[in-house]
Amino acid sequence: MELSCGRPAAALPGMEAESPGEDYESLPSGASLSTHMTAGAVAGILEHTVMYPVDSVKTRMQSLQPDPKAQYKSVYGALKKIIHTEGFWRPLRGINVTMLGAGPAHAMYFACYEKMKRTLSDIIHHGGNSHLANGIAGSMATLLHDAVMNPAEVVKQRMQMYNSPYKTVLECIRTVHRTEGLAAFYRSYTTQLTMNVPFQAIHFITYEFMQEQINPRRQYNPRSHVLSGAIAGAVAAAATTPLDVCKTLLNTQENMALSSVNISGHLSGMANAFRTVYHLGGIPGYFRGVQARVIYQMPSTAIAWSVYEFFKYFLTKHKLEKRAPY
């Protein structure tokens, strides 16, 4: 995904190849900040909404002390049971707040990643791709992404839980703010960062590695973006599931789980969450919902990368065509 790698130009579908300076991957002037932000925002919204029902299942399957009516053996079985017992639209509750957060969060995320990747790659491995630069850039971009997305995650996951007392997003926001304070929306922020920094480092390194293997010229190739994104998402998701379980516990403040370990008030801190998960579920407890998390993440990251690369390609070419003399 290097924007200034200077590789030979690739022909557009249905068009002859233009000069090397007009290649999709070799024109820094064509891939502006606004291009990365727009492409990132669209990719983020689609990533989180298309697979949202599976994300709802993941949240429930990570419950440490689930209600007997909310115990599931598979993702498909869970979706079927939720729709049958709670209504067709129940798996989509909270999707609106996710859309509101995903747009700006991913706009900053991809823009920061592209800028930092180019800068660090020039320093670490001048003129080439550096896996270290990709990992660092992805980690730094996560700081901006999570600052915007964490409050949306708190509201979303409370709406997703079985027998949630909140009917609307606004009701959830007002109730949480009134009863737990503003800090409740960032109670899991450090845990989310602890999870997402390694997640994104693994994710970006794997994606860029896969691109080197199957798309070495870095042409616009939708199939390579889908495959690389899916593999990167699956690897990163499986590796960071224990941290995701802890994040879900902090976000939802699961009453039955906290009362069973005699915790009054609100659970805070990653270390406390880790101890609570281990006390209630042992080592297997850290991998609750891993199947749902991988099933959710594979198509989500595939969608995100394919949409992002398409819009980056489309917007860059559109700007070039406007500049081209007739």
Side-chain angles (χ1 to χ4, degrees), residues 41-195:
V42 175
I45 291 172
L46 288 177
E47 172 190 356
H48 284 280
T49 55
V50 172
M51 294 300 295
Y52 189 85
V54 179
D55 185 55
S56 295
V57 170
K58 175 190 74 72
T59 296
R60 292 197 181 192
M61 292 182 80
Q62 288 179 336
S63 174
L64 297 173
Q65 295 287 335
D67 187 284
K69 297 179 181 178
Q71 294 182 358
Y72 316 107
K73 295 182 179 179
S74 68
V75 175
Y76 175 75
L79 278 173
K80 186 176 179 181
K81 185 175 181 179
I82 291 170
I83 292 171
H84 179 72
T85 59
E86 302 175 53
F88 181 80
W89 299 108
R90 186 63 180 84
L92 295 178
R93 283 191 67 185
I95 193 172
N96 47 350
V97 72
T98 299
M99 293 175 67
L100 288 173
H106 280 74
M108 292 189 292
Y109 170 74
F110 277 106
C112 178
Y113 171 70
E114 293 281 9
K115 174 64 176 177
M116 294 307 302
K117 183 183 74 170
R118 291 199 302 273
T119 301
L120 293 171
S121 289
D122 285 341
I123 295 172
I124 298 171
H125 190 249
H126 185 68
N129 181 49
S130 167
H131 292 307
L132 178 60
N134 298 335
I136 296 173
S139 299
M140 295 180 70
T142 301
L143 297 175
L144 291 176
H145 173 274
D146 287 0
V148 175
M149 202 64 192
N150 202 85
E153 281 284 317
V154 172
V155 176
K156 177 200 76 173
Q157 291 199 299
R158 293 196 184 210
M159 298 285 291
Q160 289 174 331
M161 291 296 285
Y162 175 76
N163 207 23
S164 171
Y166 311 109
K167 302 300 181 183
T168 66
V169 166
L170 282 178
E171 179 190 347
C172 181
I173 293 172
R174 289 169 179 164
T175 302
V176 172
H177 183 265
R178 184 179 67 251
T179 58
E180 302 177 42
L182 189 62
F185 295 103
Y186 282 95
R187 188 176 287 127
S188 65
Y189 183 57
T190 54
T191 301
Q192 181 127 325
L193 284 178
T194 305
M195 175 187 73

Side-chain angles (χ1 to χ4, degrees), residues 21 30 241:
T241 294

Side-chain angles (χ1 to χ4, degrees), residues 211-292:
Q211 284 291 286
E212 285 183 347
Q213 305 307 307
I214 62 178
N215 187 20
R217 294 184 65 193
R218 302 303 179 94
Q219 297 172 332
Y220 175 63
N221 186 327
R223 279 185 289 186
S224 80
H225 301 316
V226 169
L227 180 60
S228 298
I231 293 173
V235 172
T240 57
T241 294
L243 293 164
D244 193 45
V245 172
C246 294
K247 183 205 75 172
T248 297
L249 178 61
L250 289 172
N251 277 347
T252 60
Q253 297 292 308
E254 193 181 335
N255 290 329
M256 291 180 66
L258 298 186
S259 62
S260 66
V261 291
N262 298 318
I263 295 178
S264 58
H266 307 298
L267 180 69
S268 62
M270 183 181 66
N272 291 331
F274 257 93
R275 284 193 292 268
T276 303
V277 172
Y278 182 78
H279 182 81
L280 293 173
I283 297 299
Y286 292 117
F287 290 91
R288 294 184 69 88
V290 64
Q291 178 194 35

Side-chain angles (χ1 to χ4, degrees), residues 113 117 134 204-212 218:
Y113 171 70
K117 183 183 74 170
N134 298 335
F204 280 112
I205 289 171
T206 305
Y207 179 82
E208 298 287 357
F209 173 78
M210 291 301 302
Q211 284 291 286
E212 285 183 347
R218 302 303 179 94

